[in-house]
Amino acid sequence: MITKKTRAFLLLAAMMTTFISAWSQDEAEEERVYDFAEENHQCFKCHGHKTFYYFNENMDQQIRERMNPYYIIDTVEYYSSNHWNFSCFDCHSYDYSDFPHPNELRMEPKPGCLDCHGGDDYEDLSWEKIDEEFQKSVHSTKHSADFKCSMCHDPHTYKVNARTNENIKETIQYDNGICLSCHADINKYQLIVDFVNPNVLETHQWLPNQALHWQSVRCIECHVEMNEDMLIAHNVQPKEKAVRKCVECHSENSLLLASLYKYQVKERRNELGFFNAAIMNNSYIIGANRNYYLNMISLILFGMVVLGIGIHATIRIIKK
Amino acid sequence: MSEERLYLYPLWLRIWHWINALMFLVLIATGLSLQYAGPESTFIRFDYAVQYHNIAGIILTISFVFFVLANRFTSNRKFYRIKYKGFVKRLMKQFRYYIYGVFIHEPKPYPVSEKRKFNPLQKLSYVMVMYLMMPVIIITGFGLLFPETNIENVFGVAGIYLTDLLHIVTGFVLSVFMIVHIYFCTFGKTVGSEFKSMFTGWH
């Protein structure tokens, strides 16, 4: 039988649970007002689906057609991307609001990222510097103007990860996905080159624990020249210049501290005497995870053992 | 020589011992090289050190399993049995001998006999090394060889990091044990006699 006291306790517990869950939901979900949701819906009602329909006046009937898969925008991804509060017409001509879309619109040059971001400075992220680095990279020197920022950073889905995501593994997966969207997909790869995409699994056969490396570091760690002034370097190097020496990462001054863990290192310096505390919380890298105190203790203990043996042996020799 | 010669170390034990010793040396050298790896300071090339460390670790594991089985099914196991009653007292007696008695040429409190191969301190350290530390270093070693088997996150720290910490701390203790073990092997009739015994089998 439930007593009055128990009932009151259960009621209080239920109220607390409701309050806590409502509070944590509020905390988790940032209040967002989507200024262009209604306007964008005009585009997404076709481009947000695999099929669309329109009224064909010549045939006097409603026609249902398949949407070109490359022109489908995932609305959930779009509204959680960095450009979530943009109108489609910020980048695409307003004339697209007409249907059927006027043919000549396809011939119009598309805006580049620097058309908006030129002059922007955010922390140590300067778009002009990124552009300078990119111009030096193989992506630019081998493919000239064909290679656009948007080939890697789809403006409909791209979101900053390294600075906002606490989970390094997710950042790694996201960033590697960008590289693999071309380097593991011949259809996209051959948009700018004619030759066959080399198989990344084969070209990286030499790498021990291949799967683990790919889960733990980003492609750019080895394939991009580091730049101290930038959070994310963009100078992608030719394959001959990729890092192949294990000790570049597997050492106290691990290369990863200047790349993958750069943001974390800046945010929180060494904790508890670990040389590379930022790495420790997320991964383990032979040669890079060292503890200052453990190093000292082991050296002292080792010294004491050797000294003890030395003294003991000396007395034994004297007293022989 | 009035003392009777004893055949204390059968062939299987000697073979196991020297394989174990050799693997210890390889593992210590490569382990140190990996732990303190760096572009300038690498003592053995990193990728080679990883390979040698893995191979030596696997051989050490096989040799350890062989030792445990051989010790289980031969009479050698009796030397590892600890009689708890009065053990601390016996330990202290042996300890006193090492820090005092040996210098004034006192007779050994627990001399080697057919029934007693190890003195109490030896017995304790060997049991700890073989039945506690070796399993720990082997299990953690395999944890590092197959990183996907580790718990991903333990209270905000990568599980594999804790595995590694346990591995290197145990490795350090075992390395110190090896140095002390070699020194105590000079306590035979002559400085080299114990070493010779481990080759011939005769004490």
Side-chain angles (χ1 to χ4, degrees):
Chain A
M1 209 178 114
I2 301 172
T3 63
K4 262 189 180 175
K5 239 182 190 176
T6 321
R7 207 176 296 157
F9 174 75
L10 286 175
L11 188 70
L12 190 70
M15 279 167 68
M16 287 292 283
T17 317
T18 318
F19 172 73
I20 290 168
S21 72
W23 175 76
S24 48
Q25 223 169 352
D26 280 354
E27 280 286 301
E29 280 175 28
E30 202 186 317
E31 281 273 329
R32 277 184 168 183
V33 180
Y34 298 93
D35 296 328
F36 301 100
E38 210 172 307
E39 188 178 291
N40 290 347
H41 179 67
Q42 295 306 313
C43 304
F44 287 144
K45 66 184 180 187
C46 290
H47 286 281
H49 300 276
K50 286 181 180 171
T51 54
F52 67 101
Y53 34 95
Y54 61 94
F55 189 78
N56 187 322
E57 284 171 1
N58 299 336
M59 294 162 79
D60 195 29
Q61 71 178 92
Q62 187 150 294
I63 303 287
R64 192 176 185 135
E65 275 195 39
R66 280 181 300 182
M67 174 58 74
N68 178 338
Y70 297 108
Y71 295 151
I72 299 174
I73 305 298
D74 184 326
T75 49
V76 176
E77 270 198 275
Y78 178 77
Y79 284 118
S80 56
S81 77
N82 278 16
H83 293 142
W84 62 275
N85 207 17
F86 274 63
S87 158
C88 301
F89 302 124
D90 285 338
C91 302
H92 301 282
S93 165
Y94 190 76
D95 294 342
Y96 274 110
S97 54
D98 292 337
F99 187 85
H101 301 318
N103 264 342
E104 61 274 15
L105 283 178
R106 301 184 67 180
M107 303 301 148
E108 275 186 7
K110 289 191 183 88
C113 299
L114 286 175
D115 292 337
C116 287
H117 287 291
D120 278 7
D121 271 318
Y122 179 77
E123 290 189 0
D124 50 2
L125 251 183
S126 153
W127 269 262
E128 262 93 13
K129 261 194 235 162
I130 290 176
D131 189 47
E132 269 172 41
E133 289 286 291
F134 168 72
Q135 300 299 342
K136 290 188 264 176
S137 76
V138 282
H139 280 161
S140 173
T141 53
K142 281 200 172 174
H143 309 297
S144 66
D146 294 340
F147 204 105
K148 305 258 189 329
C149 307
S150 58
M151 298 204 99
C152 303
H153 308 290
D154 182 348
H156 303 108
T157 57
Y158 186 74
K159 56 181 169 191
V160 167
N161 244 289
R163 270 175 287 136
T164 52
N165 198 338
E166 282 281 303
N167 189 335
I168 288 266
K169 296 258 170 188
E170 276 177 20
T171 304
I172 293 164
Q173 202 184 3
Y174 184 85
D175 285 359
N176 285 351
I178 293 174
C179 304
L180 292 174
S181 73
C182 264
H183 288 278
D185 178 5
I186 188 140
N187 297 326
K188 193 174 168 195
Y189 191 75
Q190 290 198 327
L191 268 179
I192 48 168
V193 288
D194 294 323
F195 50 85
V196 176
N197 197 354
N199 184 338
V200 285
L201 286 171
E202 272 170 26
T203 52
H204 291 81
Q205 202 70 54
W206 64 275
L207 188 66
N209 276 324
Q210 195 190 69
L212 188 72
H213 270 107
W214 287 357
Q215 282 164 25
S216 314
V217 285
R218 298 169 303 178
C219 309
I220 59 169
E221 258 68 78
C222 301
H223 291 280
V224 174
E225 189 185 63
M226 292 304 145
N227 184 328
E228 288 216 343
D229 303 332
M230 297 174 72
L231 193 57
I232 310 281
H234 275 71
N235 185 0
V236 179
Q237 297 290 293
K239 62 178 184 295
E240 301 75 32
K241 284 192 175 175
V243 171
R244 274 185 86 110
K245 264 184 139 181
C246 312
V247 285
E248 300 257 13
C249 292
H250 291 279
S251 56
E252 194 184 321
N253 295 315
S254 177
L255 182 77
L256 298 177
L257 292 169
S259 54
L260 179 59
Y261 293 98
K262 195 172 191 169
Y263 187 70
Q264 278 77 0
V265 170
K266 263 182 69 182
E267 290 298 293
R268 50 191 149 94
R269 292 283 173 196
N270 294 351
E271 298 159 9
L272 302 169
F274 285 95
F275 286 114
N276 299 329
I279 298 178
M280 197 190 82
N281 293 343
N282 297 288
S283 196
Y284 156 72
I285 303 154
I286 309 169
N289 294 111
R290 297 180 203 171
N291 184 293
Y292 173 79
Y293 299 114
L294 272 184
N295 263 3
M296 288 309 289
I297 292 168
S298 63
L299 270 175
I300 292 168
L301 283 177
F302 188 78
M304 280 166 66
V305 169
V306 172
L307 189 71
I309 289 175
I311 293 169
H312 200 272
T314 312
I315 301 174
R316 268 173 74 200
I317 293 164
I318 295 167
K319 294 275 184 181
K320 205 170 179 182
Chain B
M1 274 214 321
S2 57
E3 254 184 75
E4 201 187 326
R5 288 186 82 207
L6 292 167
Y7 186 66
L8 277 184
Y9 312 110
L11 185 64
W12 71 263
L13 189 91
R14 282 176 279 150
I15 293 173
W16 164 78
H17 177 271
W18 289 118
I19 290 175
N20 206 44
L22 186 65
M23 291 308 117
F24 249 65
L25 290 175
V26 174
L27 287 162
I28 291 171
T30 51
L32 280 172
S33 185
L34 292 174
Q35 175 70 6
Y36 297 101
E40 285 92 34
S41 60
T42 307
F43 157 53
I44 303 166
R45 218 179 90 173
F46 192 88
D47 46 346
Y48 290 168
V50 171
Q51 289 289 339
Y52 299 157
H53 200 81
N54 291 348
I55 294 166
I58 291 166
I59 297 174
L60 186 88
T61 307
I62 297 168
S63 110
F64 173 74
V65 172
F66 168 75
F67 170 84
V68 171
L69 291 176
N71 227 17
R72 174 72 188 78
F73 296 110
T74 66
S75 61
N76 196 55
R77 70 174 181 274
K78 66 175 182 279
F79 300 121
Y80 289 82
R81 275 204 195 113
I82 293 175
K83 279 185 192 130
Y84 296 106
K85 202 178 168 197
F87 188 66
V88 176
K89 210 172 173 184
R90 292 198 293 279
L91 273 182
M92 294 316 291
K93 201 170 170 186
Q94 184 64 35
F95 186 66
R96 186 198 161 275
Y97 169 76
Y98 279 140
I99 58 160
Y100 178 69
V102 69
F103 301 129
I104 57 164
H105 306 290
E106 271 183 8
K108 288 177 181 169
Y110 300 99
V112 174
S113 70
E114 208 171 329
K115 284 186 177 171
R116 186 178 51 221
K117 195 160 72 169
F118 308 137
N119 69 50
L121 266 175
Q122 249 181 319
K123 194 186 276 189
L124 179 69
S125 59
Y126 292 177
V127 167
M128 295 293 280
V129 164
M130 293 313 295
Y131 293 104
L132 180 72
M133 293 197 180
M134 286 295 279
V136 168
I137 205 152
I138 287 171
I139 292 167
T140 53
F142 274 88
L144 295 172
L145 193 58
F146 300 102
E148 66 280 4
T149 56
N150 288 268
I151 301 169
E152 200 158 303
N153 200 293
V154 183
F155 300 118
V157 176
I160 193 167
Y161 185 79
L162 299 178
T163 307
D164 171 65
L165 208 56
L166 197 55
H167 190 75
I168 54 167
V169 168
T170 315
F172 173 76
V173 176
L174 284 174
S175 310
V176 169
F177 161 79
M178 198 186 73
I179 293 165
V180 176
H181 175 67
I182 293 169
Y183 177 63
F184 278 106
C185 286
T186 63
F187 280 64
K189 274 180 232 104
T190 65
V191 172
S193 62
E194 296 273 353
F195 296 99
K196 205 173 149 196
S197 297
M198 205 30 103
F199 284 105
T200 62
W202 289 92
H203 184 80

